[in-house]
Short mmCIF file of all heavy atoms in Angstrom, two decimals:
data_model
loop_
_atom_site.label_atom_id
_atom_site.label_comp_id
_atom_site.label_asym_id
_atom_site.label_seq_id
_atom_site.Cartn_x
_atom_site.Cartn_y
_atom_site.Cartn_z
N MET A 190 -10.74 33.42 -4.10
CA MET A 190 -10.73 32.35 -3.12
C MET A 190 -10.21 33.08 -1.73
O MET A 190 -9.13 33.72 -1.77
CB MET A 190 -9.74 31.21 -3.48
CG MET A 190 -9.55 30.20 -2.47
SD MET A 190 -8.52 28.88 -2.97
CE MET A 190 -9.72 27.72 -3.47
N PRO A 191 -10.96 32.76 -0.73
CA PRO A 191 -10.64 33.55 0.55
C PRO A 191 -9.42 32.92 1.23
O PRO A 191 -9.20 31.68 1.01
CB PRO A 191 -11.90 33.31 1.40
CG PRO A 191 -12.52 32.02 0.85
CD PRO A 191 -12.37 32.11 -0.67
N SER A 192 -8.65 33.66 1.80
CA SER A 192 -7.50 33.13 2.48
C SER A 192 -7.77 32.62 3.93
O SER A 192 -8.89 32.98 4.50
CB SER A 192 -6.33 34.31 2.52
OG SER A 192 -6.86 35.31 3.45
N VAL A 193 -6.92 31.76 4.39
CA VAL A 193 -7.16 31.21 5.64
C VAL A 193 -6.63 32.04 6.83
O VAL A 193 -5.41 32.45 6.75
CB VAL A 193 -6.66 29.76 5.82
CG1 VAL A 193 -6.81 29.11 7.16
CG2 VAL A 193 -7.19 28.83 4.64
N PRO A 194 -7.35 32.38 7.85
CA PRO A 194 -6.75 33.19 8.80
C PRO A 194 -5.67 32.42 9.55
O PRO A 194 -5.79 31.33 9.69
CB PRO A 194 -7.94 33.44 9.90
CG PRO A 194 -9.16 33.18 9.01
CD PRO A 194 -8.79 32.10 7.94
N PRO A 195 -4.60 33.25 9.90
CA PRO A 195 -3.44 32.53 10.61
C PRO A 195 -3.82 31.82 11.95
O PRO A 195 -3.22 30.83 12.17
CB PRO A 195 -2.41 33.68 10.94
CG PRO A 195 -3.00 34.80 10.02
CD PRO A 195 -4.35 34.72 9.73
N TRP A 196 -4.81 32.22 12.69
CA TRP A 196 -5.16 31.44 13.97
C TRP A 196 -5.65 30.17 13.65
O TRP A 196 -5.60 29.32 14.53
CB TRP A 196 -6.03 32.35 14.74
CG TRP A 196 -7.34 32.61 14.09
CD1 TRP A 196 -7.77 33.65 13.29
CD2 TRP A 196 -8.56 31.83 14.27
NE1 TRP A 196 -9.11 33.60 12.92
CE2 TRP A 196 -9.52 32.41 13.46
CE3 TRP A 196 -8.81 30.66 15.03
CZ2 TRP A 196 -10.82 31.91 13.49
CZ3 TRP A 196 -10.09 30.21 14.92
CH2 TRP A 196 -11.10 30.77 14.16
N ILE A 197 -6.30 29.94 12.56
CA ILE A 197 -6.75 28.59 12.12
C ILE A 197 -5.65 27.60 11.86
O ILE A 197 -5.56 26.48 12.29
CB ILE A 197 -7.76 28.62 10.95
CG1 ILE A 197 -9.03 29.42 11.26
CG2 ILE A 197 -8.03 27.21 10.40
CD1 ILE A 197 -9.99 29.53 10.27
N LEU A 198 -4.55 28.08 11.19
CA LEU A 198 -3.43 27.21 10.89
C LEU A 198 -2.74 26.93 12.26
O LEU A 198 -2.10 25.93 12.47
CB LEU A 198 -2.43 27.97 9.98
CG LEU A 198 -2.91 28.14 8.55
CD1 LEU A 198 -1.96 28.81 7.69
CD2 LEU A 198 -3.24 26.72 8.00
N GLY A 199 -2.75 27.88 13.19
CA GLY A 199 -2.16 27.71 14.53
C GLY A 199 -2.74 26.56 15.21
O GLY A 199 -2.21 25.94 16.18
N LEU A 200 -3.95 26.25 14.93
CA LEU A 200 -4.70 25.17 15.63
C LEU A 200 -4.07 23.84 15.25
O LEU A 200 -4.17 22.92 16.03
CB LEU A 200 -6.17 25.18 15.37
CG LEU A 200 -6.90 26.40 15.88
CD1 LEU A 200 -8.46 26.31 15.36
CD2 LEU A 200 -6.92 26.41 17.33
N PHE A 201 -3.47 23.72 14.03
CA PHE A 201 -3.02 22.39 13.51
C PHE A 201 -1.57 22.37 13.56
O PHE A 201 -1.12 21.19 13.46
CB PHE A 201 -3.52 22.28 12.16
CG PHE A 201 -5.07 22.26 12.00
CD1 PHE A 201 -5.64 23.34 11.46
CD2 PHE A 201 -5.79 21.21 12.49
CE1 PHE A 201 -7.05 23.39 11.41
CE2 PHE A 201 -7.23 21.22 12.42
CZ PHE A 201 -7.79 22.35 11.79
N LEU A 202 -0.89 23.40 13.71
CA LEU A 202 0.60 23.32 13.71
C LEU A 202 1.13 23.42 15.07
O LEU A 202 0.66 24.28 15.89
CB LEU A 202 1.31 24.47 12.89
CG LEU A 202 0.98 24.43 11.45
CD1 LEU A 202 1.45 25.62 10.73
CD2 LEU A 202 1.47 23.14 10.76
N TYR A 203 2.07 22.50 15.46
CA TYR A 203 2.60 22.46 16.77
C TYR A 203 4.06 22.18 16.75
O TYR A 203 4.36 21.15 16.28
CB TYR A 203 1.89 21.46 17.74
CG TYR A 203 2.53 21.25 19.06
CD1 TYR A 203 2.63 22.43 20.01
CD2 TYR A 203 3.22 20.09 19.40
CE1 TYR A 203 3.27 22.21 21.19
CE2 TYR A 203 3.79 20.06 20.64
CZ TYR A 203 3.86 20.92 21.51
OH TYR A 203 4.42 20.75 22.68
N PHE A 204 5.04 23.12 17.00
CA PHE A 204 6.33 22.92 16.98
C PHE A 204 6.98 23.03 18.41
O PHE A 204 7.07 24.14 18.96
CB PHE A 204 7.14 23.99 16.08
CG PHE A 204 6.64 23.83 14.73
CD1 PHE A 204 5.64 24.74 14.10
CD2 PHE A 204 7.17 22.82 13.84
CE1 PHE A 204 5.34 24.62 12.81
CE2 PHE A 204 6.56 22.67 12.59
CZ PHE A 204 5.74 23.59 12.04
N PRO A 205 7.26 21.84 19.13
CA PRO A 205 7.65 22.09 20.50
C PRO A 205 9.01 22.55 20.69
O PRO A 205 9.91 22.40 19.87
CB PRO A 205 7.53 20.56 20.94
CG PRO A 205 7.80 19.74 19.68
CD PRO A 205 7.09 20.63 18.59
N GLU A 206 9.25 23.15 21.66
CA GLU A 206 10.53 23.73 22.09
C GLU A 206 11.39 22.54 22.52
O GLU A 206 12.58 22.67 22.05
CB GLU A 206 10.41 24.83 23.29
CG GLU A 206 9.79 26.05 23.02
CD GLU A 206 10.36 26.88 22.03
OE1 GLU A 206 11.61 26.91 21.98
OE2 GLU A 206 9.68 27.53 21.14
N ASP A 207 10.95 21.66 23.22
CA ASP A 207 11.71 20.47 23.57
C ASP A 207 11.72 19.44 22.43
O ASP A 207 10.65 18.89 22.09
CB ASP A 207 11.13 19.86 24.72
CG ASP A 207 12.04 18.68 25.37
OD1 ASP A 207 13.16 18.50 24.95
OD2 ASP A 207 11.45 17.96 26.20
N LYS A 208 12.73 19.36 21.72
CA LYS A 208 12.77 18.44 20.45
C LYS A 208 12.66 17.01 20.81
O LYS A 208 12.58 16.16 19.92
CB LYS A 208 14.13 18.82 19.64
CG LYS A 208 14.18 20.22 19.17
CD LYS A 208 12.94 20.51 18.36
CE LYS A 208 13.08 22.06 17.96
NZ LYS A 208 11.89 22.66 17.42
N SER A 209 12.82 16.65 22.08
CA SER A 209 12.78 15.20 22.43
C SER A 209 11.28 14.69 22.22
O SER A 209 11.01 13.48 22.35
CB SER A 209 13.20 14.93 23.91
OG SER A 209 12.40 15.69 24.76
N GLU A 210 10.37 15.63 22.07
CA GLU A 210 8.97 15.27 21.89
C GLU A 210 8.70 14.54 20.51
O GLU A 210 7.67 14.02 20.23
CB GLU A 210 8.08 16.37 22.07
CG GLU A 210 8.00 16.91 23.50
CD GLU A 210 6.86 17.92 23.78
OE1 GLU A 210 5.99 18.13 22.98
OE2 GLU A 210 7.18 18.83 24.59
N TYR A 211 9.68 14.90 19.65
CA TYR A 211 9.70 14.16 18.30
C TYR A 211 10.09 12.68 18.32
O TYR A 211 9.72 11.97 17.28
CB TYR A 211 10.71 14.96 17.24
CG TYR A 211 10.34 16.36 17.02
CD1 TYR A 211 11.06 17.44 17.12
CD2 TYR A 211 9.04 16.64 16.47
CE1 TYR A 211 10.77 18.65 16.70
CE2 TYR A 211 8.55 17.86 16.02
CZ TYR A 211 9.46 18.95 16.17
OH TYR A 211 9.12 20.23 15.83
N ILE A 212 10.71 12.24 19.37
CA ILE A 212 11.11 10.90 19.34
C ILE A 212 9.99 9.88 19.38
O ILE A 212 9.91 8.99 18.50
CB ILE A 212 12.06 10.60 20.57
CG1 ILE A 212 13.39 11.47 20.44
CG2 ILE A 212 12.35 9.23 20.77
CD1 ILE A 212 14.23 11.59 21.60
N PRO A 213 8.97 9.98 20.18
CA PRO A 213 7.76 9.10 20.05
C PRO A 213 7.18 9.18 18.70
O PRO A 213 6.76 8.02 18.10
CB PRO A 213 6.85 9.50 21.09
CG PRO A 213 7.67 10.26 22.10
CD PRO A 213 8.61 10.93 21.32
N ALA A 214 7.03 10.32 18.05
CA ALA A 214 6.41 10.32 16.86
C ALA A 214 7.33 9.66 15.70
O ALA A 214 6.74 9.03 14.86
CB ALA A 214 6.16 11.83 16.48
N ALA A 215 8.65 9.84 15.79
CA ALA A 215 9.54 9.20 14.80
C ALA A 215 9.50 7.67 15.04
O ALA A 215 9.43 6.89 14.01
CB ALA A 215 10.83 9.68 15.08
N ILE A 216 9.34 7.23 16.27
CA ILE A 216 9.20 5.84 16.46
C ILE A 216 7.98 5.22 15.87
O ILE A 216 7.97 4.11 15.18
CB ILE A 216 9.35 5.46 18.01
CG1 ILE A 216 10.83 5.75 18.49
CG2 ILE A 216 9.10 3.96 18.25
CD1 ILE A 216 11.02 5.64 19.99
N SER A 217 6.81 5.85 16.26
CA SER A 217 5.57 5.36 15.70
C SER A 217 5.56 5.42 14.20
O SER A 217 5.06 4.50 13.48
CB SER A 217 4.39 6.02 16.37
OG SER A 217 4.42 7.46 16.06
N PHE A 218 6.17 6.55 13.58
CA PHE A 218 6.15 6.54 12.20
C PHE A 218 7.05 5.42 11.59
O PHE A 218 6.63 4.81 10.59
CB PHE A 218 6.81 8.01 11.72
CG PHE A 218 6.93 8.00 10.22
CD1 PHE A 218 6.03 8.27 9.37
CD2 PHE A 218 8.19 7.89 9.72
CE1 PHE A 218 6.18 8.35 7.90
CE2 PHE A 218 8.55 7.87 8.40
CZ PHE A 218 7.60 8.14 7.50
N GLY A 219 8.15 5.20 12.25
CA GLY A 219 8.92 4.14 11.66
C GLY A 219 8.25 2.73 11.87
O GLY A 219 8.45 1.96 10.86
N ILE A 220 7.56 2.53 12.89
CA ILE A 220 6.73 1.22 12.99
C ILE A 220 5.72 1.07 11.94
O ILE A 220 5.55 0.05 11.19
CB ILE A 220 6.14 1.07 14.35
CG1 ILE A 220 7.23 0.95 15.40
CG2 ILE A 220 5.11 -0.01 14.46
CD1 ILE A 220 6.85 1.05 16.87
N PHE A 221 4.94 2.22 11.72
CA PHE A 221 3.85 2.16 10.72
C PHE A 221 4.48 2.07 9.25
O PHE A 221 3.91 1.42 8.37
CB PHE A 221 2.99 3.32 10.79
CG PHE A 221 1.96 3.18 11.85
CD1 PHE A 221 2.04 3.90 13.07
CD2 PHE A 221 0.77 2.35 11.76
CE1 PHE A 221 1.23 3.76 14.11
CE2 PHE A 221 -0.03 2.21 12.69
CZ PHE A 221 0.13 2.91 13.92
N PHE A 222 5.67 2.66 9.08
CA PHE A 222 6.26 2.58 7.80
C PHE A 222 6.73 1.17 7.43
O PHE A 222 6.56 0.63 6.41
CB PHE A 222 7.49 3.62 7.75
CG PHE A 222 8.11 3.77 6.38
CD1 PHE A 222 7.55 4.32 5.29
CD2 PHE A 222 9.30 3.01 6.11
CE1 PHE A 222 8.04 4.43 4.04
CE2 PHE A 222 9.91 3.05 4.83
CZ PHE A 222 9.23 3.75 3.80
N VAL A 223 7.28 0.58 8.41
CA VAL A 223 7.71 -0.82 8.27
C VAL A 223 6.63 -1.71 7.94
O VAL A 223 6.67 -2.64 6.99
CB VAL A 223 8.57 -1.40 9.40
CG1 VAL A 223 8.80 -2.80 9.45
CG2 VAL A 223 9.99 -0.62 9.48
N PHE A 224 5.57 -1.53 8.72
CA PHE A 224 4.27 -2.40 8.38
C PHE A 224 3.83 -2.07 7.05
O PHE A 224 3.27 -3.00 6.45
CB PHE A 224 3.21 -2.18 9.55
CG PHE A 224 3.48 -3.01 10.83
CD1 PHE A 224 3.68 -2.41 11.92
CD2 PHE A 224 3.63 -4.37 10.71
CE1 PHE A 224 3.96 -3.16 13.10
CE2 PHE A 224 3.99 -5.15 11.79
CZ PHE A 224 4.11 -4.52 13.02
N ALA A 225 3.86 -0.86 6.62
CA ALA A 225 3.24 -0.52 5.35
C ALA A 225 4.04 -1.18 4.23
O ALA A 225 3.56 -1.66 3.23
CB ALA A 225 3.26 0.95 5.14
N VAL A 226 5.46 -1.19 4.47
CA VAL A 226 6.29 -1.80 3.40
C VAL A 226 6.02 -3.37 3.50
O VAL A 226 5.94 -3.96 2.38
CB VAL A 226 7.79 -1.53 3.63
CG1 VAL A 226 8.61 -2.32 2.84
CG2 VAL A 226 8.08 -0.07 3.48
N LEU A 227 5.96 -3.95 4.55
CA LEU A 227 5.72 -5.36 4.63
C LEU A 227 4.36 -5.80 4.09
O LEU A 227 4.31 -6.82 3.32
CB LEU A 227 5.77 -5.84 6.10
CG LEU A 227 7.14 -5.82 6.75
CD1 LEU A 227 7.11 -6.30 8.22
CD2 LEU A 227 8.14 -6.76 6.04
N THR A 228 3.37 -4.92 4.28
CA THR A 228 1.97 -5.22 3.66
C THR A 228 2.11 -5.09 2.12
O THR A 228 1.51 -5.88 1.49
CB THR A 228 0.99 -4.26 4.16
OG1 THR A 228 0.96 -4.37 5.75
CG2 THR A 228 -0.42 -4.40 3.60
N MET A 229 2.81 -4.02 1.59
CA MET A 229 2.98 -4.10 0.24
C MET A 229 3.77 -5.18 -0.33
O MET A 229 3.30 -5.68 -1.50
CB MET A 229 3.65 -2.65 -0.09
CG MET A 229 3.55 -2.28 -1.46
SD MET A 229 1.90 -1.80 -1.99
CE MET A 229 2.04 -1.88 -3.76
N MET A 230 4.72 -5.69 0.24
CA MET A 230 5.46 -6.85 -0.27
C MET A 230 4.60 -8.09 -0.18
O MET A 230 4.61 -8.75 -1.10
CB MET A 230 6.70 -7.08 0.63
CG MET A 230 7.77 -6.04 0.51
SD MET A 230 9.12 -6.09 1.66
CE MET A 230 9.72 -7.73 1.45
N TRP A 231 3.69 -8.13 0.82
CA TRP A 231 2.77 -9.21 1.02
C TRP A 231 1.81 -9.31 -0.24
O TRP A 231 1.53 -10.15 -0.88
CB TRP A 231 2.08 -9.24 2.28
CG TRP A 231 1.04 -10.31 2.52
CD1 TRP A 231 1.35 -11.68 2.58
CD2 TRP A 231 -0.23 -10.19 2.74
NE1 TRP A 231 0.09 -12.35 2.89
CE2 TRP A 231 -0.87 -11.47 2.99
CE3 TRP A 231 -1.08 -9.09 2.81
CZ2 TRP A 231 -2.14 -11.57 3.12
CZ3 TRP A 231 -2.40 -9.22 3.05
CH2 TRP A 231 -3.00 -10.47 3.33
N ILE A 232 1.24 -8.07 -0.52
CA ILE A 232 0.28 -7.90 -1.57
C ILE A 232 0.89 -8.20 -2.96
O ILE A 232 0.30 -8.98 -3.75
CB ILE A 232 -0.32 -6.49 -1.54
CG1 ILE A 232 -1.19 -6.23 -0.34
CG2 ILE A 232 -0.97 -6.11 -2.84
CD1 ILE A 232 -1.66 -4.80 -0.05
N ILE A 233 2.09 -7.77 -3.18
CA ILE A 233 2.81 -8.02 -4.47
C ILE A 233 3.00 -9.53 -4.57
O ILE A 233 2.78 -10.16 -5.63
CB ILE A 233 4.14 -7.29 -4.53
CG1 ILE A 233 3.98 -5.90 -4.65
CG2 ILE A 233 5.03 -7.78 -5.63
CD1 ILE A 233 5.05 -4.90 -4.63
N ARG A 234 3.42 -10.30 -3.49
CA ARG A 234 3.63 -11.63 -3.52
C ARG A 234 2.35 -12.44 -3.86
O ARG A 234 2.36 -13.38 -4.75
CB ARG A 234 4.21 -12.23 -2.20
CG ARG A 234 4.52 -13.61 -2.24
CD ARG A 234 5.24 -14.05 -0.88
NE ARG A 234 6.40 -13.34 -0.63
CZ ARG A 234 6.73 -12.74 0.53
NH1 ARG A 234 5.87 -12.85 1.52
NH2 ARG A 234 7.86 -12.17 0.69
N ILE A 235 1.22 -12.02 -3.25
CA ILE A 235 -0.04 -12.69 -3.62
C ILE A 235 -0.40 -12.36 -4.99
O ILE A 235 -0.93 -13.24 -5.67
CB ILE A 235 -1.09 -12.07 -2.56
CG1 ILE A 235 -0.92 -12.56 -1.25
CG2 ILE A 235 -2.47 -12.53 -2.97
CD1 ILE A 235 -1.78 -12.16 -0.18
N ASN A 236 -0.21 -11.20 -5.46
CA ASN A 236 -0.53 -10.81 -6.87
C ASN A 236 0.18 -11.58 -7.86
O ASN A 236 -0.43 -12.06 -8.80
CB ASN A 236 -0.25 -9.25 -7.10
CG ASN A 236 -0.63 -8.85 -8.49
OD1 ASN A 236 -1.51 -9.41 -9.05
ND2 ASN A 236 0.04 -7.79 -9.00
N ARG A 237 1.59 -11.85 -7.56
CA ARG A 237 2.31 -12.75 -8.42
C ARG A 237 1.84 -14.17 -8.51
O ARG A 237 1.72 -14.76 -9.53
CB ARG A 237 3.72 -12.67 -8.02
CG ARG A 237 4.34 -11.50 -8.27
CD ARG A 237 5.90 -11.42 -8.00
NE ARG A 237 6.52 -10.24 -8.30
CZ ARG A 237 7.67 -9.66 -7.48
NH1 ARG A 237 8.22 -10.44 -6.70
NH2 ARG A 237 8.06 -8.54 -7.96
N LYS A 238 1.35 -14.64 -7.31
CA LYS A 238 0.87 -16.00 -7.30
C LYS A 238 -0.49 -16.07 -7.99
O LYS A 238 -0.74 -17.06 -8.91
CB LYS A 238 0.57 -16.37 -5.74
CG LYS A 238 0.08 -17.69 -5.61
CD LYS A 238 -0.22 -18.01 -4.12
CE LYS A 238 -0.85 -19.32 -3.95
NZ LYS A 238 -1.26 -19.60 -2.55
N GLN A 239 -1.34 -15.03 -7.90
CA GLN A 239 -2.63 -15.09 -8.65
C GLN A 239 -2.47 -14.93 -10.05
O GLN A 239 -3.12 -15.44 -10.93
CB GLN A 239 -3.53 -14.02 -8.07
CG GLN A 239 -4.06 -14.22 -6.77
CD GLN A 239 -4.86 -13.13 -6.22
OE1 GLN A 239 -4.88 -11.95 -6.76
NE2 GLN A 239 -5.62 -13.38 -5.22
N GLU A 240 -1.31 -14.21 -10.47
CA GLU A 240 -1.02 -13.98 -11.97
C GLU A 240 -0.68 -15.36 -12.55
O GLU A 240 -1.10 -15.68 -13.62
CB GLU A 240 0.07 -12.99 -12.05
CG GLU A 240 0.40 -12.65 -13.52
CD GLU A 240 1.48 -11.56 -13.63
OE1 GLU A 240 2.03 -11.20 -12.59
OE2 GLU A 240 1.82 -11.30 -14.75
N LYS A 241 0.17 -16.07 -11.83
CA LYS A 241 0.63 -17.44 -12.33
C LYS A 241 -0.62 -18.34 -12.48
O LYS A 241 -0.76 -19.15 -13.41
CB LYS A 241 1.63 -18.10 -11.35
CG LYS A 241 2.91 -17.40 -11.47
CD LYS A 241 3.95 -18.01 -10.52
CE LYS A 241 5.26 -17.28 -10.52
NZ LYS A 241 6.20 -17.79 -9.44
N GLU A 242 -1.51 -18.34 -11.41
CA GLU A 242 -2.66 -19.26 -11.50
C GLU A 242 -3.64 -18.75 -12.65
O GLU A 242 -4.19 -19.54 -13.31
CB GLU A 242 -3.39 -19.14 -10.13
CG GLU A 242 -2.71 -19.70 -9.03
CD GLU A 242 -3.47 -19.43 -7.65
OE1 GLU A 242 -4.49 -18.79 -7.60
OE2 GLU A 242 -2.97 -19.93 -6.66
N ALA A 243 -3.68 -17.52 -12.92
CA ALA A 243 -4.67 -16.97 -14.00
C ALA A 243 -3.96 -17.46 -15.35
O ALA A 243 -4.75 -17.81 -16.22
CB ALA A 243 -4.78 -15.48 -13.87
N LYS A 244 -2.70 -17.39 -15.39
CA LYS A 244 -2.04 -17.77 -16.72
C LYS A 244 -2.31 -19.29 -16.92
O LYS A 244 -2.60 -19.68 -18.12
CB LYS A 244 -0.63 -17.46 -16.74
CG LYS A 244 -0.23 -16.09 -17.03
CD LYS A 244 1.28 -15.79 -17.13
CE LYS A 244 1.48 -14.31 -17.26
NZ LYS A 244 2.93 -14.03 -17.49
N LEU A 245 -2.16 -20.08 -15.79
CA LEU A 245 -2.25 -21.56 -16.12
C LEU A 245 -3.83 -21.93 -16.42
O LEU A 245 -4.07 -22.68 -17.31
CB LEU A 245 -2.00 -22.19 -14.70
CG LEU A 245 -2.24 -23.65 -14.69
CD1 LEU A 245 -1.33 -24.34 -15.71
CD2 LEU A 245 -1.90 -24.16 -13.31
N PHE A 246 -4.67 -21.09 -15.82
CA PHE A 246 -6.25 -21.36 -16.11
C PHE A 246 -6.45 -20.88 -17.49
O PHE A 246 -7.18 -21.51 -18.28
CB PHE A 246 -7.05 -20.54 -15.11
CG PHE A 246 -8.45 -20.52 -15.27
CD1 PHE A 246 -9.10 -21.81 -15.08
CD2 PHE A 246 -9.26 -19.59 -15.72
CE1 PHE A 246 -10.50 -21.95 -15.18
CE2 PHE A 246 -10.61 -19.65 -15.92
CZ PHE A 246 -11.28 -20.87 -15.65
N GLU A 247 -5.86 -19.77 -18.05
CA GLU A 247 -6.05 -19.35 -19.40
C GLU A 247 -5.54 -20.46 -20.38
O GLU A 247 -6.07 -20.72 -21.32
CB GLU A 247 -5.26 -17.96 -19.56
CG GLU A 247 -5.48 -17.54 -21.01
CD GLU A 247 -4.79 -16.15 -21.20
OE1 GLU A 247 -4.09 -15.66 -20.25
OE2 GLU A 247 -4.94 -15.62 -22.24
N GLN A 248 -4.34 -20.97 -20.04
CA GLN A 248 -3.72 -22.08 -20.92
C GLN A 248 -4.82 -23.19 -20.87
O GLN A 248 -4.81 -23.76 -21.94
CB GLN A 248 -2.41 -22.36 -20.43
CG GLN A 248 -1.32 -21.36 -20.69
CD GLN A 248 0.01 -21.61 -19.95
OE1 GLN A 248 0.14 -22.63 -19.27
NE2 GLN A 248 0.90 -20.75 -20.26
N GLN A 249 -5.26 -23.61 -19.88
CA GLN A 249 -6.19 -24.77 -19.72
C GLN A 249 -7.43 -24.42 -20.63
O GLN A 249 -7.90 -25.36 -21.43
CB GLN A 249 -6.59 -25.10 -18.42
CG GLN A 249 -5.52 -25.71 -17.45
CD GLN A 249 -6.00 -25.70 -15.95
OE1 GLN A 249 -7.03 -25.23 -15.65
NE2 GLN A 249 -5.09 -26.44 -15.26
N LEU A 250 -7.95 -23.26 -20.58
CA LEU A 250 -9.13 -22.94 -21.37
C LEU A 250 -8.82 -22.97 -22.87
O LEU A 250 -9.53 -23.35 -23.71
CB LEU A 250 -9.60 -21.55 -20.95
CG LEU A 250 -10.41 -21.42 -19.60
CD1 LEU A 250 -10.76 -20.02 -19.33
CD2 LEU A 250 -11.49 -22.40 -19.50
N GLN A 251 -7.63 -22.48 -23.20
CA GLN A 251 -7.23 -22.40 -24.65
C GLN A 251 -7.06 -23.94 -25.06
O GLN A 251 -7.39 -24.15 -26.12
CB GLN A 251 -5.88 -21.65 -24.79
CG GLN A 251 -6.10 -20.14 -24.67
CD GLN A 251 -4.79 -19.39 -24.71
OE1 GLN A 251 -3.78 -19.94 -24.69
NE2 GLN A 251 -5.00 -18.16 -24.91
N ALA A 252 -6.54 -24.73 -24.37
CA ALA A 252 -6.30 -26.16 -24.66
C ALA A 252 -7.59 -26.69 -24.82
O ALA A 252 -7.82 -27.56 -25.90
CB ALA A 252 -5.47 -26.85 -23.66
N GLU A 253 -8.60 -26.64 -23.95
CA GLU A 253 -9.90 -27.13 -24.12
C GLU A 253 -10.56 -26.65 -25.38
O GLU A 253 -11.23 -27.39 -26.12
CB GLU A 253 -10.69 -26.80 -22.90
CG GLU A 253 -10.43 -27.54 -21.70
CD GLU A 253 -11.18 -27.07 -20.34
OE1 GLU A 253 -12.19 -26.29 -20.69
OE2 GLU A 253 -10.93 -27.50 -19.40
N GLU A 254 -10.40 -25.37 -25.64
CA GLU A 254 -10.96 -24.70 -26.83
C GLU A 254 -10.35 -25.34 -28.07
O GLU A 254 -11.06 -25.66 -29.12
CB GLU A 254 -10.77 -23.25 -26.89
CG GLU A 254 -11.49 -22.55 -27.91
CD GLU A 254 -13.06 -22.64 -27.65
OE1 GLU A 254 -13.49 -22.56 -26.62
OE2 GLU A 254 -13.77 -22.52 -28.72
N GLU A 255 -9.08 -25.65 -28.20
CA GLU A 255 -8.37 -26.26 -29.21
C GLU A 255 -8.84 -27.63 -29.38
O GLU A 255 -9.04 -28.10 -30.55
CB GLU A 255 -6.83 -26.24 -29.04
CG GLU A 255 -6.23 -24.95 -29.22
CD GLU A 255 -6.29 -24.45 -30.56
OE1 GLU A 255 -6.18 -25.24 -31.60
OE2 GLU A 255 -6.48 -23.26 -30.86
N GLN A 256 -9.14 -28.36 -28.31
CA GLN A 256 -9.63 -29.75 -28.48
C GLN A 256 -11.14 -29.77 -29.03
O GLN A 256 -11.43 -30.71 -29.77
CB GLN A 256 -9.65 -30.45 -27.09
CG GLN A 256 -8.22 -30.85 -26.64
CD GLN A 256 -8.19 -31.47 -25.28
OE1 GLN A 256 -9.23 -31.55 -24.60
NE2 GLN A 256 -7.06 -31.85 -24.78
N LYS A 257 -11.83 -28.77 -28.76
CA LYS A 257 -13.18 -28.79 -29.16
C LYS A 257 -13.21 -28.50 -30.76
O LYS A 257 -14.15 -28.91 -31.44
CB LYS A 257 -14.05 -27.61 -28.56
CG LYS A 257 -14.39 -28.02 -27.18
CD LYS A 257 -15.19 -26.90 -26.44
CE LYS A 257 -15.58 -27.26 -25.04
NZ LYS A 257 -16.29 -26.29 -24.35
N ARG A 258 -12.26 -27.79 -31.24
CA ARG A 258 -12.17 -27.30 -32.56
C ARG A 258 -11.76 -28.49 -33.47
O ARG A 258 -12.09 -28.64 -34.66
CB ARG A 258 -11.17 -26.19 -32.77
CG ARG A 258 -11.63 -24.78 -32.38
CD ARG A 258 -10.63 -23.85 -32.72
NE ARG A 258 -10.93 -22.53 -31.98
CZ ARG A 258 -10.26 -21.47 -32.01
NH1 ARG A 258 -9.04 -21.52 -32.56
NH2 ARG A 258 -10.58 -20.43 -31.43
N LEU A 259 -11.06 -29.43 -32.91
CA LEU A 259 -10.60 -30.54 -33.62
C LEU A 259 -11.61 -31.56 -33.58
O LEU A 259 -12.36 -32.13 -34.13
CB LEU A 259 -9.35 -31.20 -33.03
CG LEU A 259 -8.06 -30.32 -32.96
CD1 LEU A 259 -6.99 -30.97 -32.14
CD2 LEU A 259 -7.67 -29.98 -34.31
#
């Protein structure tokens, strides 16, 4: 496997001398992280609701099936 020349990696890596340039990146990362967590919590809440609805629907189908057998 060929190795990657160092100058190619230099195109993607940037370490600023002034560390205050990290502040906007940290803020935007924090905002996106919070939104990602909130989105995941929202998806889990919807999933639980759908799971309850599916169990209720399954019970209804089983009850109908039992009535047909009798």
Side-chain angles (χ1 to χ4, degrees):
M190 177 178 258
S192 64
V193 179
W196 63 272
I197 291 179
L198 291 177
L200 295 174
F201 301 106
L202 296 176
Y203 172 66
F204 299 104
E206 294 293 325
D207 183 17
K208 301 302 180 192
S209 66
E210 292 183 30
Y211 288 127
I212 294 172
I216 291 171
S217 63
F218 172 78
I220 291 170
F221 280 103
F222 184 77
V223 167
F224 280 122
V226 169
L227 292 175
T228 302
M229 193 64 194
M230 290 170 57
W231 179 65
I232 290 171
I233 290 171
R234 185 176 300 133
I235 290 174
N236 183 28
R237 288 182 182 150
K238 181 181 175 186
Q239 289 178 345
E240 184 179 0
K241 288 178 184 177
E242 291 173 357
K244 284 184 181 182
L245 180 63
F246 182 66
E247 183 181 2
Q248 289 172 354
Q249 289 174 350
L250 289 177
Q251 287 176 349
E253 288 176 8
E254 191 66 31
E255 286 294 323
Q256 288 178 356
K257 287 181 182 178
R258 288 184 189 173
L259 297 176

